[in-house]
């Protein structure tokens, strides 16, 4: 049986005069997944989220949420969706409690003060519910934004840069909260620049650039691909000359002691055997896998200097 | 679909918005300052000041002053109020938080306009009540009769009611026009400027020497309704000259109603079609 889909877009396009913000984007987000939506600045992430929320009308293409057409069946979707788009916006002259009341009423819900306070507690704003939002830091507003998305206990959450403005401890808390929300069988569509965060919490990922999809897949399978091996050997110069005799291997020095060998896992025993036979000492062999950061930079054409050697 | 919850959301925002509280304070401070000066002058100097205070403070004549003030400031306040009410949602970028929460965008804008009109009406009813109470208390303080019988030729409470109704009509018309301007401009400042420019342009429409043009102007029809209702023959003559004929109250009412419906329709259409793409 095919997996049920929470969000489906087909040929989604948004054109602003001469600029194509989103170009022919096909998405199929399975229900119950934490779906990372990645791309550099200006890739069309926020425009896509705004289109998925009905704030911006697509120039072309179709989109459906939970099987309902967004254009014609909005009333069936509205209460099933919660969202933070870019920086959360609130009525600064109102308290957090009043803001949540306004947003609950706007969802045609009448929540009790107790229910609102529970949400405030859940996002770590205990004791600050009566304070006006104008006294809140960006991080606190982000937390309040999460509380606002949960008012109608939605099936789908759209979170656009949810860790923006949070300190490291707040980021960890937010990550745990998002994982917790995902474990409640919600679909979470999360856009973030923090690739490490996305790598840790998302089950699926799509990378977009200039409004076009560059890669989509399960995080586990994308990151499982072996890129090659790093070998710590001594003397490394001799090791390099031995390995360069294998035409099917691509070998290059990384540091004084380390060599990088682009090879399949099946090639490694013979490589090690050849080095040992030549009296090269082998200290470590490390399998190199794709990191989300490397994949992202490779697909989006960002400078390679940004890559770490880890 | 309009729901009570949407009204509650809008009422909560409106009630706690400081500019609305400031408008309420301004209107009442103006009254307070005026009456306090009159009462002090009457108390200190007596004579003519006391007789003048006795005339002005007596109910129902005291209603006139508050209505006169509202007539002067009503349209301006309606423009500022409506522009702020709708424009601030664009300024704060809060539409993105509330619009995805409900099936229809129109419900939000319709509720917003209705609550804004209701809030303006409440502001003016409260102002009249406050000013009348002040004058009543002032009369008691000065030991003069707080009530009086109006003499023939004086404005009656019916006329005061007519004046207030016309002010409410003007405020609604210009308020709605500003609502339309603000949905186009998508900002408070843009809404206020456009609202004022439109109201000034429409106010001068009567002097345009093209009768067909004048006949299409709802502002002139509003004046026509007012002058016919209050039987102001001199002004009526001027309006008839501008129209090129005598236009009945019913016809003018039809034109004004059609204009209001057109304005609302346009505002709804623009609001429902335009992207909320952020600041």
């Amino acid at each position: 049986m095919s997996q049920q889909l929470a969000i489906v877009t087909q040929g989604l396009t948004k054109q602003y005069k001469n600029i194509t913000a989103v170009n022919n984007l096909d998405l199929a987000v399975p229900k119950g997944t934490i779906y990372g939506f990645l791309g550099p600045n200006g890739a069309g992430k926020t425009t896509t989220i705004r289109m998925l929320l009905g704030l911006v009308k697509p120039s072309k293409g179709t989109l459906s949420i939970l099987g309902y057409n967004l254009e014609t069946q909005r009333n069936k979707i509205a209460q099933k969706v919660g969202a933070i788009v870019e920086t959360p916006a609130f009525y600064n002259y109102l308290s957090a409690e009043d803001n949540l009341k306004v947003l609950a009423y706007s969802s045609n819900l009448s929540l009790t003060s107790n229910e609102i306070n529970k949400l405030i507690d859940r996002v770590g704003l205990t004791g600050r519910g009566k304070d006006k939002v104008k006294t809140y830091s960006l991080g606190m507003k982000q937390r309040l934004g999460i509380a606002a998305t949960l008012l109608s206990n939605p099936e789908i959450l759209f979170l656009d840069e949810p860790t923006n403005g949070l300190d490291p401890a707040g980021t960890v808390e937010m990550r745990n909260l998002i994982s917790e929300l995902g474990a409640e069988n919600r679909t979470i569509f999360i856009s973030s620049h923090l690739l490490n965060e996305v790598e840790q919490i998302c089950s699926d990922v799509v990378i977009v650039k200039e409004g076009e999809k560059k890669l989509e897949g399960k995080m586990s399978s994308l990151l499982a691909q072996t890129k090659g091996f790093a070998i710590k050997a001594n003397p490394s110069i001799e090791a390099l000359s031995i390995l360069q005799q294998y035409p099917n291997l691509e070998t290059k020095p990384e540091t004084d002691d380390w060599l990088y060998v682009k090879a399949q896992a099946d090639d490694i025993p013979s490589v090690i055997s050849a080095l040992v036979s030549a009296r090269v000492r082998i200290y470590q062999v490390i399998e190199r896998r794709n990191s989300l950061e490397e994949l992202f930079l490779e697909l989006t054409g960002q400078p390679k200097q940004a890559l770490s050697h880890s | 679909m309009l729901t009570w919850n949407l009204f509650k959301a809008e009422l909560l925002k409106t009630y706690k918005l400081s500019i609305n509280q400031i408008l309420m304070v301004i209107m009442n401070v103006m009254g307070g300052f005026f009456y306090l000066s009159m009462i002090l002058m009457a108390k200190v100097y007596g004579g003519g000041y006391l007789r003048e205070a006795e005339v002005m403070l007596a109910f129902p004549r005291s209603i006139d002053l508050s209505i006169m003030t509202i007539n002067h400031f009503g349209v301006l306040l309606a423009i500022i109020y409506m522009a702020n009410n709708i424009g601030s949602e664009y300024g704060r970028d809060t539409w993105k938080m509330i619009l995805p929460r409900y099936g229809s965008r129109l419900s939000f804008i319709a509720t917003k306009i209705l609550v804004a009109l209701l809030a303006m009406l409440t502001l003016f009813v409260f102002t009249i009540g406050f000013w009348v109470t002040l004058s009543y208390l002032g009369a008691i303080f000065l030991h003069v009769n707080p009530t009086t019988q109006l003499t023939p030729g004086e404005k009656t409470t019916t006329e005061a009611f007519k004046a207030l109704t016309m002010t409410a009509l003007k405020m609604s018309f210009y308020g709605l026009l500003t609502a339309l301007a603000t949905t186009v401009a998508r900002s408070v400042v843009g809404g206020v400027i456009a609202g004022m420019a439109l109201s000034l342009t429409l106010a001068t429409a009567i002097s345009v020497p093209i009768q067909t043009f004048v006949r299409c102007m709802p502002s002139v029809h509003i004046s026509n309704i007012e002058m016919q209702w209050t039987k102001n023959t001199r002004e009526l003559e001027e309006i008839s000259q501008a129209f090129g004929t005598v236009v009945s109250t019913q016809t003018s009412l039809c034109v004004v109603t059609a204009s209001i419906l057109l304005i609302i329709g346009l505002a709804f259409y623009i609001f429902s079609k335009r992207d909320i793409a952020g600041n």
Side-chain angles (χ1 to χ4, degrees), chain B residues 252-266:
Chain B
S252 285
L253 267 174
C254 285
V255 173
V256 173
T257 309
S259 310
I260 285 176
L261 291 176
L262 182 69
I263 291 166
I264 292 175
L266 268 175

Side-chain angles (χ1 to χ4, degrees), chain A residues 206-268:
Chain A
V206 63
I207 297 176
V208 289
K209 186 192 173 192
E210 291 165 359
E212 289 177 12
K213 185 165 74 179
K214 295 291 174 191
L215 179 83
E216 185 180 27
K218 288 267 169 212
M219 186 74 79
S220 50
S221 57
L222 291 176
L223 301 185
Q225 293 164 14
T226 300
K227 249 179 24 168
F229 294 85
I231 300 174
K232 188 176 183 186
N234 191 11
S236 63
I237 295 171
E238 197 177 333
L240 182 65
S241 65
I242 292 166
L243 294 179
Q244 279 173 340
Q245 289 166 19
Y246 288 78
N248 59 329
L249 300 181
E250 189 187 309
T251 310
K252 59 183 179 184
E254 276 194 339
T255 61
D256 287 350
D257 296 335
W258 285 94
L259 300 173
Y260 171 76
V261 184
K262 192 170 183 181
Q264 297 299 313
D266 291 346
D267 297 328
I268 293 303

Side-chain angles (χ1 to χ4, degrees), chain B residues 30-46:
Chain B
M30 270 164 57
F33 182 75
F34 178 81
Y35 284 112
L36 197 65
S37 314
M38 187 195 287
I39 292 162
L40 280 177
M41 298 277 272
K43 191 76 181 168
V44 174
Y45 299 112

Side-chain angles (χ1 to χ4, degrees), chain B residues 164-184:
Chain B
L164 199 61
T165 307
M166 288 313 301
T167 302
L169 178 64
K170 281 184 221 167
M171 282 170 52
S172 304
F173 176 75
Y174 288 105
L176 288 169
L177 201 59
T178 306
L180 169 63
T182 311
T183 56
V184 175

Side-chain angles (χ1 to χ4, degrees), chain A residues 134-209:
Chain A
K134 67 182 168 197
T135 64
Y136 277 27
S137 65
L138 179 58
M140 290 168 78
K141 284 183 186 168
Q142 288 284 14
R143 288 161 194 262
L144 187 59
I146 296 278
T149 62
L150 296 174
L151 282 165
S152 59
N153 194 21
E155 289 178 40
I156 303 180
L157 291 180
F158 290 94
L159 305 176
D160 191 3
E161 299 292 347
T163 50
N164 194 14
L166 294 178
D167 56 23
T171 304
V172 172
E173 270 180 52
M174 185 63 80
R175 191 173 66 210
N176 293 339
L177 179 61
I178 292 168
S179 299
E180 210 177 285
L181 293 170
E184 291 167 2
N185 205 28
R186 292 178 218 272
T187 307
I188 303 181
F189 189 88
I190 178 169
S191 140
S192 177
H193 284 110
L194 299 176
L195 302 175
N196 192 34
E197 298 297 321
V198 171
E199 194 174 325
Q200 286 184 59
I201 59 176
C202 291
S203 54
D204 297 64
V205 69
V206 63
I207 297 176
V208 289
K209 186 192 173 192

Side-chain angles (χ1 to χ4, degrees), chain B:
Chain B
M1 194 180 73
L2 302 186
T3 63
W4 176 232
N5 275 331
L6 284 185
F7 272 95
K8 283 201 282 188
E10 211 47 53
L11 286 171
L12 181 59
K13 284 189 269 178
T14 304
Y15 165 64
K16 297 212 171 176
L17 186 62
S18 52
I19 189 155
N20 296 340
Q21 293 163 359
I22 290 167
L23 283 177
M24 180 78 88
V25 169
I26 287 173
M27 292 300 285
N28 292 315
V29 164
M30 270 164 57
F33 182 75
F34 178 81
Y35 284 112
L36 197 65
S37 314
M38 187 195 287
I39 292 162
L40 280 177
M41 298 277 272
K43 191 76 181 168
V44 174
Y45 299 112
Y49 288 109
L50 187 59
R51 278 193 297 281
E52 195 186 335
E54 188 175 6
V55 170
M56 293 194 71
L57 296 177
F59 182 83
R61 200 181 288 116
S62 55
I63 297 175
D64 267 359
L65 189 66
S66 53
I67 290 176
M68 220 164 66
T69 311
I70 289 169
N71 278 338
H72 272 97
F73 295 102
V75 170
L76 177 67
L77 288 177
I79 290 169
I80 296 172
Y81 197 92
M82 196 60 91
N84 185 62
N85 213 26
I86 296 174
S88 61
E89 298 279 7
Y90 288 102
R92 292 192 191 97
D93 204 12
T94 34
W95 283 129
K96 72 182 181 189
M97 294 293 282
I98 57 174
L99 292 185
R101 293 178 175 274
Y102 201 69
S104 151
R105 277 192 190 187
L106 294 187
S107 308
F108 282 106
I109 194 80
T111 308
K112 198 164 245 315
I113 290 173
L114 277 174
V115 170
L117 292 174
L118 189 72
M120 280 189 284
L121 191 68
T122 309
L123 172 70
F124 291 132
V125 168
F126 188 84
T127 302
I128 293 169
F130 184 73
W131 286 36
V132 168
T133 307
L134 273 183
S135 58
Y136 195 89
L137 293 174
I140 291 173
F141 177 72
L142 292 173
H143 303 294
V144 296
N145 195 352
T147 59
T148 186
Q149 288 288 324
L150 297 175
T151 56
E154 264 196 292
K155 277 188 182 170
T156 62
T157 43
T158 316
E159 281 167 335
F161 170 75
K162 283 180 183 175
L164 199 61
T165 307
M166 288 313 301
T167 302
L169 178 64
K170 281 184 221 167
M171 282 170 52
S172 304
F173 176 75
Y174 288 105
L176 288 169
L177 201 59
T178 306
L180 169 63
T182 311
T183 56
V184 175
R186 291 187 274 195
S187 77
V188 178
V189 177
V192 170
I193 292 171
M196 285 188 178
L198 284 169
S199 68
L200 284 173
T201 309
L202 286 172
T204 56
I206 195 168
S207 55
V208 176
I210 305 165
Q211 287 171 350
T212 315
F213 174 79
V214 176
R215 280 181 209 162
C216 298
M217 290 293 105
S219 55
V220 188
H221 284 280
I222 290 173
S223 301
N224 189 41
I225 297 167
E226 186 172 15
M227 297 314 149
Q228 298 229 21
W229 205 19
T230 54
K231 297 187 171 53
N232 187 333
T233 46
R234 222 182 69 192
E235 295 272 348
L236 204 52
E237 207 171 296
E238 263 181 52
I239 292 169
S240 299
Q241 269 177 9
F243 279 143
T245 181
V246 176
V247 174
S248 68
T249 311
Q250 287 85 342
T251 308
S252 285
L253 267 174
C254 285
V255 173
V256 173
T257 309
S259 310
I260 285 176
L261 291 176
L262 182 69
I263 291 166
I264 292 175
L266 268 175
F268 282 10
Y269 180 79
I270 291 168
F271 186 72
S272 64
K273 293 291 172 194
R274 287 184 91 170
D275 288 344
I276 305 290
N279 293 322

Side-chain angles (χ1 to χ4, degrees), chain A:
Chain A
M1 199 176 79
S2 65
Q3 199 173 9
Q4 284 188 309
L5 297 174
I7 303 164
V8 178
T9 72
Q10 285 174 329
L12 193 66
T13 302
K14 182 64 188 179
Q15 184 89 29
Y16 290 107
K17 291 180 183 164
N18 300 325
I19 298 163
T20 306
V22 177
N23 191 11
N24 212 21
L25 184 66
D26 294 336
L27 294 176
V29 180
K31 269 189 185 175
T33 52
I34 304 183
Y35 194 88
F37 188 53
L38 308 178
N41 290 334
K45 300 190 297 293
T46 299
T47 304
T48 303
I49 290 179
R50 282 186 184 259
M51 283 195 280
L52 290 169
L53 293 171
L55 293 168
V56 167
K57 295 209 184 303
S59 309
K60 264 197 310 192
T62 58
L63 49 86
S64 70
I65 307 279
L66 297 168
Y68 297 110
N69 183 301
L70 187 65
E71 187 71 27
T72 55
Q73 297 172 294
R74 273 193 57 80
N75 54 340
K76 293 190 175 159
I77 302 165
Q79 285 201 357
K80 294 178 177 171
V81 168
I84 301 179
V85 187
E86 294 174 306
T87 315
F90 291 103
Y91 302 96
N92 287 334
Y93 60 95
L94 294 179
S95 67
E97 281 181 22
D98 282 344
N99 265 288
L100 292 182
K101 271 186 200 166
V102 164
L103 295 171
Y105 290 146
S106 301
S107 306
N108 204 17
L109 299 168
S110 292
L111 299 187
T112 61
S113 295
N114 196 26
E115 287 169 314
I116 283 179
N117 282 323
K118 270 187 190 165
L119 280 176
I120 288 174
D121 292 345
R122 183 167 189 189
V123 295
L125 290 173
T126 308
R128 298 297 305 267
K130 297 215 179 302
D131 294 346
K132 288 191 175 173
V133 170
K134 67 182 168 197
T135 64
Y136 277 27
S137 65
L138 179 58
M140 290 168 78
K141 284 183 186 168
Q142 288 284 14
R143 288 161 194 262
L144 187 59
I146 296 278
T149 62
L150 296 174
L151 282 165
S152 59
N153 194 21
E155 289 178 40
I156 303 180
L157 291 180
F158 290 94
L159 305 176
D160 191 3
E161 299 292 347
T163 50
N164 194 14
L166 294 178
D167 56 23
T171 304
V172 172
E173 270 180 52
M174 185 63 80
R175 191 173 66 210
N176 293 339
L177 179 61
I178 292 168
S179 299
E180 210 177 285
L181 293 170
E184 291 167 2
N185 205 28
R186 292 178 218 272
T187 307
I188 303 181
F189 189 88
I190 178 169
S191 140
S192 177
H193 284 110
L194 299 176
L195 302 175
N196 192 34
E197 298 297 321
V198 171
E199 194 174 325
Q200 286 184 59
I201 59 176
C202 291
S203 54
D204 297 64
V205 69
V206 63
I207 297 176
V208 289
K209 186 192 173 192
E210 291 165 359
E212 289 177 12
K213 185 165 74 179
K214 295 291 174 191
L215 179 83
E216 185 180 27
K218 288 267 169 212
M219 186 74 79
S220 50
S221 57
L222 291 176
L223 301 185
Q225 293 164 14
T226 300
K227 249 179 24 168
F229 294 85
I231 300 174
K232 188 176 183 186
N234 191 11
S236 63
I237 295 171
E238 197 177 333
L240 182 65
S241 65
I242 292 166
L243 294 179
Q244 279 173 340
Q245 289 166 19
Y246 288 78
N248 59 329
L249 300 181
E250 189 187 309
T251 310
K252 59 183 179 184
E254 276 194 339
T255 61
D256 287 350
D257 296 335
W258 285 94
L259 300 173
Y260 171 76
V261 184
K262 192 170 183 181
Q264 297 299 313
D266 291 346
D267 297 328
I268 293 303
S270 56
V271 165
I272 302 295
S273 171
L275 292 174
V276 170
S277 305
R279 295 182 180 275
V280 173
R281 288 187 294 276
I282 308 295
Y283 294 93
Q284 282 185 65
V285 179
I286 298 171
E287 186 184 13
R288 285 274 168 83
R289 291 187 173 190
N290 276 327
S291 75
L292 186 61
E293 188 178 62
E294 284 167 325
L295 267 178
F296 179 86
L297 296 176
E298 199 176 299
L299 288 165
T300 58
Q302 307 281 304
K304 294 280 182 189
Q305 295 90 301
L307 294 177
S308 67
H309 271 278
S310 61

